[in-house]
Amino acid sequence: MTIHILATGTSRGIGASIAASFATDDVRFVGHSTFGGDKALAADLSDPEATRALWWEAMGRLDGRIDVLINNAGIFEAAPIDQSDDAWLADWERTMRINLTASAELSRLAVLHFREAGGGRIINIASRAAHRGDSPEHWHYAASKAGMVAMSKSIARGYARDNILAFAVCPGFTMTGMAEDYLASRGGDALLADIPLGRVAEPAEVAATVRFLALEAPPSMTGAVLDINGASYVR
């Protein structure tokens, strides 16, 4: 059976590699970006109505059936604690909205659909920051990614009997444009010294893991959290 997949944040970086990883598989893949383009659906995930509309537009494009949801879209924006109260709170809420709440909304719609369809899979792209935290300017980012991990585990435990499987993937630094800028801002070589592998991950490495979870991972793996961080954080 052809697998129907909806993935968010597929315009570049990890998301683009995820989309490419299914190129030779028997799947129908619908991607997303904020502004659309290249067959991707457009949705601004800071807008709850747009998030819900994305789900139903994808359902329409995929003939009313989604088998796999991949929540990859996210932002990594600084929120220094010495900015104004209102500015700091706005930054916090924007990151939570896009990284966590939009993923939760899509996951909820997926679970409701999967219960009627006989099952499905949810893959949440979290971060190493979910486990070890992040910089003083990125409390909100770490908290949002920890929330994705907890949400994935809750879905796995709550709906396994309905054949609804959930996984989280926690990359460390990955060689996307966003990661390159951050590495440069944090000293580059000094930061790499914290990664025993000696390099950051390639987007294709994360994508290969996501593809495995979407198409091949055995059901007993549900609830798993997979780390891709060059041993910079081990549990």
Side-chain angles (χ1 to χ4, degrees), residues 183-184 186-195 198:
L183 282 167
R186 295 294 296 277
D189 290 343
L191 190 147
L192 288 175
D194 188 43
I195 304 175

Side-chain angles (χ1 to χ4, degrees), residues 96 99-101 103-104 107 124-127 129-131 139-155 168 170:
M96 286 294 180
N99 290 9
L100 180 57
T101 306
S103 295
S107 294
N124 290 316
I125 310 304
S127 169
H131 302 300
W139 298 4
H140 53 342
Y141 178 79
S144 71
K145 295 303 187 177
M148 292 186 80
V149 170
M151 180 174 70
S152 303
K153 293 179 179 181
S154 298
I155 293 169
C170 290

Side-chain angles (χ1 to χ4, degrees), residues 28-227:
R28 291 179 63 188
F29 185 93
V30 171
H32 148 269
S33 69
T34 301
F35 303 106
D38 193 26
K39 300 183 180 179
L41 300 180
D44 179 355
L45 298 185
S46 67
D47 178 356
E49 292 186 6
T51 302
R52 292 188 288 270
L54 169 64
W55 173 264
W56 293 112
E57 189 174 356
M59 283 280 282
R61 186 173 289 190
L62 293 171
D63 301 326
R65 175 170 60 85
I66 293 173
D67 304 303
V68 179
L69 168 66
I70 303 169
N71 285 310
N72 171 69
I75 59 173
F76 183 80
E77 298 174 348
I81 63 170
D82 56 359
Q83 62 185 339
S84 72
D85 294 347
D86 288 346
W88 186 87
L89 182 59
D91 288 344
W92 176 282
E93 292 183 340
R94 171 175 161 78
T95 289
M96 286 294 180
R97 166 69 229 167
I98 294 173
N99 290 9
L100 180 57
T101 306
S103 295
E105 289 178 312
L106 290 170
S107 294
R108 172 181 172 268
L109 292 169
V111 168
L112 292 170
H113 174 62
F114 293 162
R115 287 198 305 191
E116 298 297 322
R121 299 186 178 212
I122 297 171
I123 303 163
N124 290 316
I125 310 304
S127 169
R128 178 187 73 168
H131 302 300
R132 60 170 271 176
D134 210 283
S135 79
E137 295 186 347
H138 294 91
W139 298 4
H140 53 342
Y141 178 79
S144 71
K145 295 303 187 177
M148 292 186 80
V149 170
M151 180 174 70
S152 303
K153 293 179 179 181
S154 298
I155 293 169
R157 288 177 56 80
Y159 303 100
R161 286 187 175 86
D162 297 313
N163 195 34
I164 298 171
L165 313 179
F167 311 93
V169 178
C170 290
F173 290 112
T174 306
M175 194 51 69
T176 67
M178 183 170 61
E180 289 170 356
D181 293 343
Y182 187 65
L183 282 167
S185 72
R186 295 294 296 277
D189 290 343
L191 190 147
L192 288 175
D194 188 43
I195 304 175
L197 187 63
R199 64 170 178 84
V200 299
E202 295 293 337
E205 294 179 289
V206 182
T209 304
V210 172
R211 179 193 170 279
F212 168 73
L213 293 174
L215 301 181
E216 299 176 9
S220 288
M221 275 189 68
T222 191
V225 180
L226 280 69
D227 298 323

